[in-house]
């Protein structure tokens, strides 16, 4: 929640959590947003890898998606400690009912959105995403968007991720936050 005595001096009193499909820029934009707000940044995927002692791809391969999502929920719950920070989540985190309820209750959720063709172009650059292994990225993203976008839309703030420098998206978020 944002509190302000006047619009020019608003303070952030809870975490800001970025949600959205893979490739939308949650981590990159999140780092820059945190820097602009002078807040700590946490990438939930990195926190999961540190907690598990293995990569997300290895967790998926060894234990499956359901086990990964359970660990993801526990890590995000730990990160939601009430202190202001910017948290970038994995694409599926907000889809989990318990994780979503926690984020909506204890943070300011921001849905970063972009067209699937743009996302497919971005994610093809890295071969580390388990849901894309051996599949066409654009087809997978279209299917995921059909399922996930109505759930992401539950986030109170919706910002389009620009096909421009990341600073444009950061500026759009700051404007949506009234900063």
């Amino acid at each position: 929640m944002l509190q302000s005595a006047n619009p020019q001096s608003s303070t952030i009193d809870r975490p800001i959590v970025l949600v959205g499909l893979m490739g939308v820029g949650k981590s990159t934009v999140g780092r820059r947003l945190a820097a602009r707000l002078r807040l700590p940044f946490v990438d939930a995927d990195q926190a999961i890898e540190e907690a598990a002692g293995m990569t997300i791809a290895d967790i998926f391969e060894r234990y499956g998606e359901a086990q990964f999502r359970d660990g993801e929920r526990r890590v995000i719950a730990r990160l939601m400690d009430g202190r202001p920070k910017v948290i970038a989540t994995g694409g599926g985190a907000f889809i989990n009912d318990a994780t979503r309820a926690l984020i909506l209750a204890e943070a300011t959720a921001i849905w970063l959105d972009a067209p699937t063709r743009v996302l497919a172009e971005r994610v093809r650059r890295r071969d580390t995403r388990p849901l894309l292994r051996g599949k066409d990225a654009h087809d997978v993203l279209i299917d995921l968007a059909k399922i996930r976008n109505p759930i992401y839309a539950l986030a109170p703030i919706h910002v389009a991720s620009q096909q421009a420098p990341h600073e444009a998206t950061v500026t759009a978020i700051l404007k949506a936050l009234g900063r």
Side-chain angles (χ1 to χ4, degrees):
M1 170 175 277
L2 298 173
Q3 295 180 335
S4 67
N6 67 59
Q8 302 298 352
S9 66
S10 60
T11 59
I12 296 174
D13 67 348
R14 61 195 301 180
I16 295 170
V17 178
L18 303 179
V19 302
L21 286 172
M22 66 179 85
V24 78
K26 297 177 301 286
S27 296
T28 304
V29 168
R31 278 185 195 87
R32 292 171 187 221
L33 177 64
R36 294 262 300 266
L37 292 171
R38 294 185 175 99
L39 292 174
F41 171 76
V42 181
D43 184 309
D45 283 350
Q46 286 181 340
I48 292 163
E49 289 180 343
E50 289 170 13
M54 61 178 65
T55 67
I56 289 173
D58 288 343
I59 297 169
F60 262 77
E61 188 176 311
R62 187 175 294 175
Y63 300 108
E65 185 174 2
Q67 195 79 4
F68 168 76
R69 296 294 172 206
D70 183 57
E72 178 180 56
R73 178 190 51 75
R74 287 182 279 127
V75 168
I76 290 173
R78 179 175 47 81
L79 295 174
M80 301 289 293
D81 59 9
R83 289 183 283 188
K85 66 182 76 143
V86 176
I87 302 170
T89 62
F94 200 67
I95 305 311
N96 178 284
D97 292 335
T99 304
R100 182 175 60 257
L102 177 68
I103 291 169
L104 290 173
E106 297 186 20
T108 300
I110 300 173
W111 173 26
L112 294 184
D113 188 19
T116 54
R117 65 177 168 66
V118 172
L119 298 176
E121 188 179 300
R122 291 177 184 172
V123 300
R124 284 188 182 116
R125 298 177 197 150
R126 289 179 36 209
D127 186 27
T128 59
R129 301 178 191 269
L131 295 179
L132 298 180
R133 289 258 164 92
K135 300 174 185 162
D136 180 77
H138 191 248
D139 291 344
V140 171
L141 286 161
I142 287 172
D143 291 342
L144 286 173
K146 285 178 191 172
I147 295 165
R148 293 179 177 183
N149 283 357
I151 298 169
Y152 294 143
L154 297 172
I157 298 174
H158 180 190
V159 173
S161 176
Q162 309 292 325
Q163 205 171 8
H166 293 307
E167 286 302 319
T169 303
V170 172
T171 299
I173 292 170
L174 292 170
K175 183 176 179 184
L177 291 171
R179 303 196 49 94

